[in-house]
Amino acid sequence: NPYILATLLFGLGLGTTITFASSHWLLAWMGLEINTLAIIPLMAQHHHPRAVEATTKYFLTQATAAAMLLFASTTNAWLTGQWDIQQMSHPFPLTLITLALALKIGLAPMHTWLPEVLQGLDLTTGLVLSTWQKLAPFALLLQIQNVNPTILVTLGLASTLVGGWGGLNQTQLRKVLAYSSIAHLGWMILILQYSPSLTLLALLTYFVMTFSTFLVFKLNKSTSINALAISWTKAPILTSLTPLVLLSLGGLPPLTGFMPKWLILQELAKQDLAPLATLAALSALLSLYFYLRISYAMTLTMPPNNLTGVTPWRFSSPQLTLPLAIATTATISLL
């Protein structure tokens, strides 16, 4: 129903906006809750057992994270007597809140729900989950000062490594994208306390690249690596562009995805964290491996010839082509 859909999308926007605009922990928590409640019907709309299972998992993790956040902010109010987000001073609620937000966006080691949930959704809702749902928790993470740097660095490094290792033995595209998301979030968290503007830059480029990747897979109607082998017959031009999109997601120069990684490594080196920068760069190689595997399956292998042959192809969904064109161009040439 379009009215219900409009209401849910409005709720999705409203929740994030409330969190953006709030300086009071209670209001921020309320925004996160509205956000979660708005996306749940969107996730379960297909009434497929797998979708319902994913929705339930998502709901439980988000409710846990929100409860943890509420507990931490109440503890903060109890210990310091104020609810302001910017003036957090006590280390205990600070640590708790960081962990709660990490659970919300799916940072390692609290990441295990993300691949499972994403695998149960269709690609459009999965795209919303990978991009829009990360905004509100990130707004809060950017606002809380004086967090223990060790916690953030540990979370970030664990996420880049888990995102790299986890994606290696996946054959399902949505799970690969989930692990890719975990790895990218790790990079953002790594640099969070040294240069917040770089975190935002990384977040925005990640959004652009993920957007084009999801749209490509949606246009091909492919959900596993095997299904990509026949995408050549569906849309040849798109298929020849996709490896560039994927390698940009992996962070290969001279594509867009290289920019945030380059700047983050430079900043980490400036902060005398060369070992950390080295580890992060090596973990990016792991991610690059599975992106290469997808591009290989898509463009460098010939599909079996018992298909429709060389049917005259055309883009089946005109409403996808413009956003896809913009996103793909941005993903490949923004550097």
Side-chain angles (χ1 to χ4, degrees):
N1 190 325
Y3 295 116
I4 295 177
L5 184 66
T7 313
L8 291 175
L9 290 177
F10 174 70
L12 210 57
L14 182 73
T16 307
T17 318
I18 287 179
T19 308
F20 275 6
S22 61
S23 57
H24 191 288
W25 272 117
L26 207 56
L27 207 57
W29 168 81
M30 201 155 72
L32 290 172
E33 283 294 281
I34 292 173
N35 210 345
T36 307
L37 289 177
I39 201 173
I40 278 177
L42 291 174
M43 290 166 79
Q45 64 183 337
H46 291 301
H47 296 300
H48 188 273
R50 190 69 192 81
V52 175
E53 179 194 345
T55 313
T56 314
K57 284 177 179 169
Y58 181 74
F59 174 68
L60 290 173
T61 45
Q62 297 296 310
T64 311
M68 209 163 141
L69 188 91
L70 191 59
F71 173 66
S73 43
T74 347
T75 312
N76 181 56
W78 173 53
L79 289 168
T80 59
Q82 46 86 21
W83 284 91
D84 203 275
I85 293 180
Q86 307 250 338
Q87 294 165 4
M88 297 278 289
S89 51
H90 203 281
F92 175 64
L94 262 174
T95 310
L96 256 184
I97 275 176
T98 313
L99 291 176
L101 292 171
L103 176 60
K104 239 183 186 337
I105 51 180
L107 286 172
M110 285 84 83
H111 67 281
T112 37
W113 60 271
L114 187 58
E116 290 292 318
V117 167
L118 207 55
Q119 181 57 35
L121 305 178
D122 68 314
L123 288 165
T124 321
T125 323
L127 176 62
V128 173
L129 189 69
S130 307
T131 54
W132 185 257
Q133 292 300 89
K134 309 269 187 258
L135 282 172
F138 254 102
L140 293 177
L141 274 171
L142 282 166
Q143 281 183 76
I144 51 177
Q145 268 91 30
N146 55 34
V147 188
N148 185 356
T150 327
I151 295 175
L152 286 180
V153 165
T154 313
L155 283 171
L157 197 58
S159 298
T160 53
L161 287 166
V162 160
W165 284 122
L168 288 181
N169 61 351
Q170 300 297 335
T171 55
Q172 297 294 325
L173 288 178
R174 285 167 293 186
K175 279 193 176 170
V176 169
L177 286 169
Y179 281 109
S180 132
S181 162
I182 294 166
H184 279 274
L185 291 172
W187 279 86
M188 293 168 213
I189 294 295
L190 216 46
I191 199 66
L192 188 67
Q193 76 253 41
Y194 305 113
S195 167
S197 50
L198 266 187
T199 299
L200 277 176
L201 176 76
L203 191 66
L204 287 174
T205 45
Y206 163 71
F207 277 11
V208 173
M209 298 185 298
T210 312
F211 193 69
S212 50
T213 317
F214 267 97
L215 284 187
V216 165
F217 291 157
K218 189 171 172 54
L219 205 67
N220 281 330
K221 298 187 175 58
S222 46
T223 52
S224 72
I225 293 186
N226 283 347
L228 285 177
I230 58 166
S231 58
W232 191 252
T233 49
K234 294 179 189 170
I237 294 179
L238 197 63
T239 311
S240 47
L241 274 178
T242 311
L244 289 174
V245 172
L246 288 164
L247 292 179
S248 177
L249 206 55
L252 210 64
L255 304 164
T256 311
F258 176 54
M259 175 174 49
K261 288 199 163 110
W262 182 17
L263 294 168
I264 285 172
L265 290 175
Q266 184 188 350
E267 184 62 39
L268 285 173
K270 269 187 202 161
Q271 301 284 348
D272 286 339
L273 294 169
L276 190 66
T278 315
L279 273 172
L282 287 174
S283 71
L285 288 178
L286 293 166
S287 304
L288 200 57
Y289 179 80
F290 61 77
Y291 294 127
L292 267 172
R293 200 170 117 210
I294 297 177
S295 352
Y296 185 82
M298 203 160 179
T299 47
L300 300 177
T301 47
M302 287 301 287
N305 228 349
N306 56 2
L307 295 166
T308 44
V310 205
T311 47
W313 56 274
R314 56 191 169 80
F315 284 124
S316 49
S317 43
Q319 75 270 21
L320 269 185
T321 43
L322 180 67
L324 187 61
I326 296 170
T328 313
T329 314
T331 304
I332 294 172
S333 55
L334 266 184
L335 180 67

